[in-house]
PDB file of all heavy atoms in Angstrom:
ATOM      1  N   HIS A 148      -6.890 -15.431  28.224  1.00 97.00           N
ATOM      2  CA  HIS A 148      -6.038 -15.174  29.385  1.00 97.00           C
ATOM      3  C   HIS A 148      -5.883 -13.668  29.605  1.00 97.00           C
ATOM      4  O   HIS A 148      -5.857 -13.197  30.746  1.00 97.00           O
ATOM      5  CB  HIS A 148      -4.664 -15.814  29.186  1.00 97.00           C
ATOM      6  CG  HIS A 148      -4.714 -17.300  29.012  1.00 97.00           C
ATOM      7  ND1 HIS A 148      -3.659 -18.033  28.503  1.00 97.00           N
ATOM      8  CD2 HIS A 148      -5.699 -18.205  29.270  1.00 97.00           C
ATOM      9  CE1 HIS A 148      -3.991 -19.313  28.452  1.00 97.00           C
ATOM     10  NE2 HIS A 148      -5.224 -19.440  28.913  1.00 97.00           N
ATOM     11  N   ALA A 149      -5.791 -12.924  28.505  1.00 97.00           N
ATOM     12  CA  ALA A 149      -5.661 -11.470  28.617  1.00 97.00           C
ATOM     13  C   ALA A 149      -6.905 -10.854  29.247  1.00 97.00           C
ATOM     14  O   ALA A 149      -6.809  -9.892  30.023  1.00 97.00           O
ATOM     15  CB  ALA A 149      -5.405 -10.856  27.243  1.00 97.00           C
ATOM     16  N   TYR A 150      -8.088 -11.380  28.907  1.00 96.00           N
ATOM     17  CA  TYR A 150      -9.316 -10.892  29.547  1.00 96.00           C
ATOM     18  C   TYR A 150      -9.192 -10.967  31.062  1.00 96.00           C
ATOM     19  O   TYR A 150      -9.524 -10.019  31.787  1.00 96.00           O
ATOM     20  CB  TYR A 150     -10.521 -11.748  29.138  1.00 96.00           C
ATOM     21  CG  TYR A 150     -10.998 -11.607  27.721  1.00 96.00           C
ATOM     22  CD1 TYR A 150     -11.775 -12.615  27.151  1.00 96.00           C
ATOM     23  CD2 TYR A 150     -10.700 -10.494  26.944  1.00 96.00           C
ATOM     24  CE1 TYR A 150     -12.241 -12.517  25.851  1.00 96.00           C
ATOM     25  CE2 TYR A 150     -11.157 -10.389  25.646  1.00 96.00           C
ATOM     26  CZ  TYR A 150     -11.927 -11.403  25.104  1.00 96.00           C
ATOM     27  OH  TYR A 150     -12.391 -11.314  23.819  1.00 96.00           O
ATOM     28  N   ILE A 151      -8.744 -12.118  31.538  1.00 96.00           N
ATOM     29  CA  ILE A 151      -8.667 -12.344  32.984  1.00 96.00           C
ATOM     30  C   ILE A 151      -7.625 -11.431  33.621  1.00 96.00           C
ATOM     31  O   ILE A 151      -7.868 -10.808  34.665  1.00 96.00           O
ATOM     32  CB  ILE A 151      -8.348 -13.823  33.267  1.00 96.00           C
ATOM     33  CG1 ILE A 151      -9.488 -14.714  32.758  1.00 96.00           C
ATOM     34  CG2 ILE A 151      -8.119 -14.053  34.759  1.00 96.00           C
ATOM     35  CD1 ILE A 151      -9.177 -16.196  32.791  1.00 96.00           C
ATOM     36  N   ILE A 152      -6.462 -11.349  32.999  1.00 97.00           N
ATOM     37  CA  ILE A 152      -5.379 -10.537  33.559  1.00 97.00           C
ATOM     38  C   ILE A 152      -5.763  -9.063  33.596  1.00 97.00           C
ATOM     39  O   ILE A 152      -5.578  -8.375  34.612  1.00 97.00           O
ATOM     40  CB  ILE A 152      -4.084 -10.755  32.749  1.00 97.00           C
ATOM     41  CG1 ILE A 152      -3.569 -12.183  32.971  1.00 97.00           C
ATOM     42  CG2 ILE A 152      -3.018  -9.731  33.137  1.00 97.00           C
ATOM     43  CD1 ILE A 152      -2.461 -12.592  32.026  1.00 97.00           C
ATOM     44  N   LEU A 153      -6.320  -8.557  32.507  1.00 97.00           N
ATOM     45  CA  LEU A 153      -6.701  -7.146  32.470  1.00 97.00           C
ATOM     46  C   LEU A 153      -7.859  -6.857  33.422  1.00 97.00           C
ATOM     47  O   LEU A 153      -7.899  -5.795  34.058  1.00 97.00           O
ATOM     48  CB  LEU A 153      -7.060  -6.737  31.047  1.00 97.00           C
ATOM     49  CG  LEU A 153      -5.869  -6.611  30.091  1.00 97.00           C
ATOM     50  CD1 LEU A 153      -6.335  -6.420  28.660  1.00 97.00           C
ATOM     51  CD2 LEU A 153      -4.965  -5.456  30.502  1.00 97.00           C
ATOM     52  N   ALA A 154      -8.793  -7.789  33.527  1.00 96.00           N
ATOM     53  CA  ALA A 154      -9.896  -7.601  34.472  1.00 96.00           C
ATOM     54  C   ALA A 154      -9.370  -7.545  35.902  1.00 96.00           C
ATOM     55  O   ALA A 154      -9.809  -6.715  36.714  1.00 96.00           O
ATOM     56  CB  ALA A 154     -10.912  -8.727  34.319  1.00 96.00           C
ATOM     57  N   LEU A 155      -8.424  -8.418  36.217  1.00 96.00           N
ATOM     58  CA  LEU A 155      -7.830  -8.422  37.554  1.00 96.00           C
ATOM     59  C   LEU A 155      -7.106  -7.108  37.835  1.00 96.00           C
ATOM     60  O   LEU A 155      -7.243  -6.526  38.919  1.00 96.00           O
ATOM     61  CB  LEU A 155      -6.864  -9.601  37.683  1.00 96.00           C
ATOM     62  CG  LEU A 155      -6.174  -9.781  39.037  1.00 96.00           C
ATOM     63  CD1 LEU A 155      -7.203 -10.041  40.127  1.00 96.00           C
ATOM     64  CD2 LEU A 155      -5.161 -10.923  38.976  1.00 96.00           C
ATOM     65  N   ILE A 156      -6.367  -6.626  36.857  1.00 97.00           N
ATOM     66  CA  ILE A 156      -5.660  -5.353  37.029  1.00 97.00           C
ATOM     67  C   ILE A 156      -6.652  -4.215  37.238  1.00 97.00           C
ATOM     68  O   ILE A 156      -6.417  -3.308  38.052  1.00 97.00           O
ATOM     69  CB  ILE A 156      -4.757  -5.083  35.811  1.00 97.00           C
ATOM     70  CG1 ILE A 156      -3.583  -6.067  35.806  1.00 97.00           C
ATOM     71  CG2 ILE A 156      -4.239  -3.641  35.815  1.00 97.00           C
ATOM     72  CD1 ILE A 156      -2.729  -6.006  34.557  1.00 97.00           C
ATOM     73  N   SER A 157      -7.778  -4.255  36.524  1.00 96.00           N
ATOM     74  CA  SER A 157      -8.776  -3.188  36.666  1.00 96.00           C
ATOM     75  C   SER A 157      -9.356  -3.137  38.073  1.00 96.00           C
ATOM     76  O   SER A 157      -9.818  -2.085  38.520  1.00 96.00           O
ATOM     77  CB  SER A 157      -9.901  -3.373  35.643  1.00 96.00           C
ATOM     78  OG  SER A 157     -10.762  -4.449  35.996  1.00 96.00           O
ATOM     79  N   VAL A 158      -9.319  -4.263  38.780  1.00 95.00           N
ATOM     80  CA  VAL A 158      -9.839  -4.318  40.147  1.00 95.00           C
ATOM     81  C   VAL A 158      -8.762  -3.954  41.163  1.00 95.00           C
ATOM     82  O   VAL A 158      -9.012  -3.220  42.124  1.00 95.00           O
ATOM     83  CB  VAL A 158     -10.389  -5.731  40.456  1.00 95.00           C
ATOM     84  CG1 VAL A 158     -10.753  -5.859  41.930  1.00 95.00           C
ATOM     85  CG2 VAL A 158     -11.594  -6.034  39.585  1.00 95.00           C
ATOM     86  N   VAL A 159      -7.561  -4.448  40.941  1.00 96.00           N
ATOM     87  CA  VAL A 159      -6.497  -4.340  41.946  1.00 96.00           C
ATOM     88  C   VAL A 159      -5.756  -3.009  41.882  1.00 96.00           C
ATOM     89  O   VAL A 159      -5.374  -2.450  42.918  1.00 96.00           O
ATOM     90  CB  VAL A 159      -5.498  -5.507  41.776  1.00 96.00           C
ATOM     91  CG1 VAL A 159      -4.298  -5.339  42.699  1.00 96.00           C
ATOM     92  CG2 VAL A 159      -6.192  -6.834  42.046  1.00 96.00           C
ATOM     93  N   VAL A 160      -5.553  -2.480  40.686  1.00 95.00           N
ATOM     94  CA  VAL A 160      -4.731  -1.279  40.515  1.00 95.00           C
ATOM     95  C   VAL A 160      -5.628  -0.063  40.330  1.00 95.00           C
ATOM     96  O   VAL A 160      -6.490  -0.047  39.444  1.00 95.00           O
ATOM     97  CB  VAL A 160      -3.781  -1.426  39.307  1.00 95.00           C
ATOM     98  CG1 VAL A 160      -2.904  -0.186  39.172  1.00 95.00           C
ATOM     99  CG2 VAL A 160      -2.929  -2.677  39.453  1.00 95.00           C
ATOM    100  N   SER A 161      -5.423   0.943  41.132  1.00 90.00           N
ATOM    101  CA  SER A 161      -6.210   2.172  41.027  1.00 90.00           C
ATOM    102  C   SER A 161      -5.363   3.266  40.393  1.00 90.00           C
ATOM    103  O   SER A 161      -4.148   3.312  40.579  1.00 90.00           O
ATOM    104  CB  SER A 161      -6.688   2.619  42.414  1.00 90.00           C
ATOM    105  OG  SER A 161      -5.581   2.877  43.257  1.00 90.00           O
ATOM    106  N   GLY A 162      -6.019   4.128  39.661  1.00 92.00           N
ATOM    107  CA  GLY A 162      -5.306   5.238  39.035  1.00 92.00           C
ATOM    108  C   GLY A 162      -4.842   4.878  37.639  1.00 92.00           C
ATOM    109  O   GLY A 162      -4.137   3.885  37.446  1.00 92.00           O
ATOM    110  N   ARG A 163      -5.237   5.687  36.661  1.00 93.00           N
ATOM    111  CA  ARG A 163      -4.907   5.402  35.264  1.00 93.00           C
ATOM    112  C   ARG A 163      -3.401   5.368  35.033  1.00 93.00           C
ATOM    113  O   ARG A 163      -2.896   4.520  34.295  1.00 93.00           O
ATOM    114  CB  ARG A 163      -5.562   6.465  34.372  1.00 93.00           C
ATOM    115  CG  ARG A 163      -5.449   6.212  32.876  1.00 93.00           C
ATOM    116  CD  ARG A 163      -6.448   5.190  32.392  1.00 93.00           C
ATOM    117  NE  ARG A 163      -7.802   5.579  32.649  1.00 93.00           N
ATOM    118  CZ  ARG A 163      -8.497   6.465  31.928  1.00 93.00           C
ATOM    119  NH1 ARG A 163      -7.949   7.069  30.913  1.00 93.00           N
ATOM    120  NH2 ARG A 163      -9.749   6.729  32.229  1.00 93.00           N
ATOM    121  N   SER A 164      -2.669   6.273  35.656  1.00 94.00           N
ATOM    122  CA  SER A 164      -1.222   6.326  35.444  1.00 94.00           C
ATOM    123  C   SER A 164      -0.549   5.051  35.927  1.00 94.00           C
ATOM    124  O   SER A 164       0.355   4.528  35.270  1.00 94.00           O
ATOM    125  CB  SER A 164      -0.620   7.539  36.161  1.00 94.00           C
ATOM    126  OG  SER A 164      -1.080   8.742  35.585  1.00 94.00           O
ATOM    127  N   ARG A 165      -0.990   4.539  37.072  1.00 96.00           N
ATOM    128  CA  ARG A 165      -0.415   3.289  37.583  1.00 96.00           C
ATOM    129  C   ARG A 165      -0.721   2.127  36.643  1.00 96.00           C
ATOM    130  O   ARG A 165       0.124   1.259  36.424  1.00 96.00           O
ATOM    131  CB  ARG A 165      -0.967   2.990  38.981  1.00 96.00           C
ATOM    132  CG  ARG A 165      -0.498   3.943  40.067  1.00 96.00           C
ATOM    133  CD  ARG A 165      -0.880   3.409  41.441  1.00 96.00           C
ATOM    134  NE  ARG A 165      -0.541   4.346  42.501  1.00 96.00           N
ATOM    135  CZ  ARG A 165      -1.374   5.236  43.005  1.00 96.00           C
ATOM    136  NH1 ARG A 165      -2.618   5.309  42.540  1.00 96.00           N
ATOM    137  NH2 ARG A 165      -0.995   6.054  43.966  1.00 96.00           N
ATOM    138  N   VAL A 166      -1.925   2.119  36.111  1.00 97.00           N
ATOM    139  CA  VAL A 166      -2.302   1.060  35.173  1.00 97.00           C
ATOM    140  C   VAL A 166      -1.415   1.107  33.935  1.00 97.00           C
ATOM    141  O   VAL A 166      -0.911   0.079  33.472  1.00 97.00           O
ATOM    142  CB  VAL A 166      -3.789   1.187  34.776  1.00 97.00           C
ATOM    143  CG1 VAL A 166      -4.110   0.257  33.609  1.00 97.00           C
ATOM    144  CG2 VAL A 166      -4.685   0.874  35.963  1.00 97.00           C
TER     145      VAL A 166
END
Side-chain angles (χ1 to χ4, degrees):
H148 300 164
Y150 289 160
I151 296 171
I152 292 169
L153 287 171
L155 181 62
I156 290 173
S157 74
V158 172
V159 174
V160 182
S161 61
R163 187 79 59 78
S164 294
R165 291 191 185 94
V166 169

